[in-house]
Amino acid sequence: MQDTTADRTVLRGDCDNCFGLCCVALPFARSADFALDKPAGKACPNLGGDHRCGIHARLRQQGFTGCTVYDCFGAGQKVSQVTFGGQDWRTAASGEHARRMFDVFPVVRQLHELLWYLTEALALPVARPLHADLRRALERTEELTLLPPDELTALDVPAHRQDVNVLLLKTSELARAGIRGRKKERRGADLMGARLKGADLRGANLRGACLIAADLTGADLRGADLIGADLRDTDLTDADLTGAFFLTQPQLNAARGSAGTRLPESVTRPGHWTAGV
Ligand code: SF4
């Protein structure tokens, strides 16, 4: 099997090779994140005929912050170019082609998110005892992404996610065991708006924690497990996330931070952190 996941860049959205799927397939509701309502399967009015966003450089100013947070983990180009062989939904002979494409996209997006986690787990040297199992899970997940459209839409993704999650939990335990000191257990904790400025959260388990608008300025999050943590509006200014794992780009994009925030290598500093918007 071709190893398409060794390079993590294939697990990031590549809009040049996508038919604007996230801007059509997904629904959004008028809110602080989106300036208008849009049902699933209907193209956003800002989407151009070239599948590019007409307001890309002004998304935040025009009330589309949600679009700057989102990433498809590379599912858009996979569905556009592989699953549907480069056949554009706009020029397809029947509307059925478009409908199937829009149904498949969220499924592949979930699988690609799992590929992201598995790839990250395989990059952790302390997870070496699990590498064989992780590699098998990664190959199986990659195989699933290559199924034909009808099989993808019938796939039991939650069951597969559960299998993968068992491995990710074991990976987390191994990774955090290597961090010195007492590790905080905050799995699923409601820490919305919590004042955690300068907190010692080294090796903490923050799986699924709600950290919306929490103050984590200057906090030490080295080696913390952040899988599924809700970081919307979390203030990470000058926090240290070196070695934090299972942190995705969409999570980070939703947070606030600064040039002084230290990040793991797997993610990039969101442009809005330093642009002041
Ligand atoms: S505003 Fe732009 S990025 Fe957001 S959904 Fe519409 S076209 Fe896509």
Side-chain angles (χ1 to χ4, degrees):
M1 187 180 73
Q2 187 191 359
D3 185 1
T4 57
T5 51
D7 176 2
R8 234 183 278 202
T9 56
V10 303
L11 298 176
R12 290 251 169 89
D14 173 8
C15 302
D16 287 341
N17 285 300
C18 175
F19 300 133
L21 295 183
C22 63
C23 307
V24 189
L26 306 179
F28 43 74
R30 191 184 181 108
S31 62
D33 288 331
F34 298 104
L36 46 84
D37 290 314
K38 186 191 85 57
K42 183 170 183 241
C44 170
N46 296 317
L47 186 68
D50 58 355
H51 299 301
R52 306 307 294 236
C53 174
I55 58 166
H56 179 71
R58 308 181 306 280
L59 282 165
R60 285 184 171 258
Q61 294 90 333
Q62 301 217 4
F64 289 87
T65 303
C67 301
T68 66
V69 169
Y70 184 82
D71 189 278
C72 71
F73 296 101
Q77 64 263 31
K78 172 75 71 69
V79 172
S80 298
Q81 304 301 335
V82 179
T83 317
F84 288 89
Q87 173 67 66
D88 187 346
W89 57 270
R90 285 190 200 268
T91 55
S94 81
E96 179 62 11
H97 177 91
R99 193 191 58 75
R100 290 168 80 219
M101 204 174 219
F102 303 151
D103 287 348
V104 159
F105 172 66
V107 177
V108 176
R109 202 256 186 188
Q110 290 181 69
L111 294 172
H112 267 235
E113 185 181 14
L114 293 178
L115 288 176
W116 173 272
Y117 291 135
L118 288 164
T119 302
E120 176 144 36
L122 279 162
L124 293 170
V126 291
R128 194 159 290 122
L130 295 168
H131 275 192
D133 288 340
L134 287 165
R135 205 164 287 118
R136 266 192 296 276
L138 184 133
E139 287 172 5
R140 175 67 186 140
T141 308
E142 176 72 25
E143 281 168 11
L144 293 176
T145 71
L146 300 173
L147 288 171
D150 292 346
E151 290 182 45
L152 276 165
T153 47
L155 198 63
D156 187 351
V157 179
H160 182 64
R161 180 180 282 273
Q162 202 153 331
D163 291 344
V164 169
N165 198 36
V166 171
L167 285 174
L168 298 181
L169 279 166
K170 288 182 184 169
T171 301
S172 175
E173 279 162 25
L174 280 177
R176 290 183 300 104
I179 308 287
R180 273 186 294 170
R182 238 178 106 213
K183 271 81 74 181
K184 302 219 167 48
E185 181 56 54
R186 295 284 188 271
R187 182 175 181 175
D190 182 1
L191 298 167
M192 187 168 179
R195 283 181 278 189
L196 295 164
K197 185 172 183 173
D200 180 1
L201 291 165
R202 277 175 297 170
N205 183 1
L206 289 162
R207 284 192 145 239
C210 175
L211 287 157
I212 296 173
D215 179 4
L216 281 165
T217 55
D220 189 346
L221 289 145
R222 286 177 289 170
D225 180 351
L226 286 160
I227 197 165
D230 194 334
L231 299 181
R232 282 177 290 166
D233 266 333
T234 307
D235 195 347
L236 296 171
T237 298
D238 295 337
D240 190 351
L241 288 95
T242 311
F245 54 94
F246 299 152
L247 172 68
T248 64
Q249 196 64 45
Q251 278 174 297
L252 202 61
N253 291 348
R256 289 181 284 142
S258 65
T261 307
R262 270 168 274 178
L263 298 173
E265 286 175 7
S266 54
V267 289
T268 56
R269 193 174 309 277
H272 66 86
W273 283 13
T274 46
V277 286

